Amino acid sequence: MTIEKYILAAITTKPDKVAPGTGVFYCSDINEMEAVATNLEAILDGIAHKISEDVFIIVKH
């Protein structure tokens, strides 16, 4: 069995919104969160998805 889709990282401004278990990046505001998501998307060769106003995830498809 091969895992083809998985979460590489989570980015949030609210630590209580993301469970541990993957790389979690905590940001002080939405602008920082969007910048970190954009950078991680390129670095990790994944796709950023906005889950809520406080959470982005980087997913490998």
Side-chain angles (χ1 to χ4, degrees):
M1 181 173 115
T2 302
I3 298 173
E4 296 178 11
K5 299 177 184 182
Y6 49 94
I7 297 173
L8 298 170
I11 304 101
T12 186
T13 57
K14 303 219 174 170
D16 60 319
K17 297 260 184 163
V18 178
T22 188
V24 180
F25 295 81
Y26 301 107
C27 300
S28 58
D29 59 40
I30 292 172
N31 291 330
E32 181 185 9
M33 186 176 66
E34 290 175 349
V36 170
T38 300
N39 285 329
L40 286 175
E41 184 177 41
I43 293 165
L44 298 174
D45 193 29
I47 305 294
H49 295 280
K50 188 173 187 177
I51 302 301
S52 70
E53 290 297 316
D54 305 313
V55 179
F56 274 88
I57 60 172
I58 309 297
V59 179
K60 184 70 170 179
H61 288 286

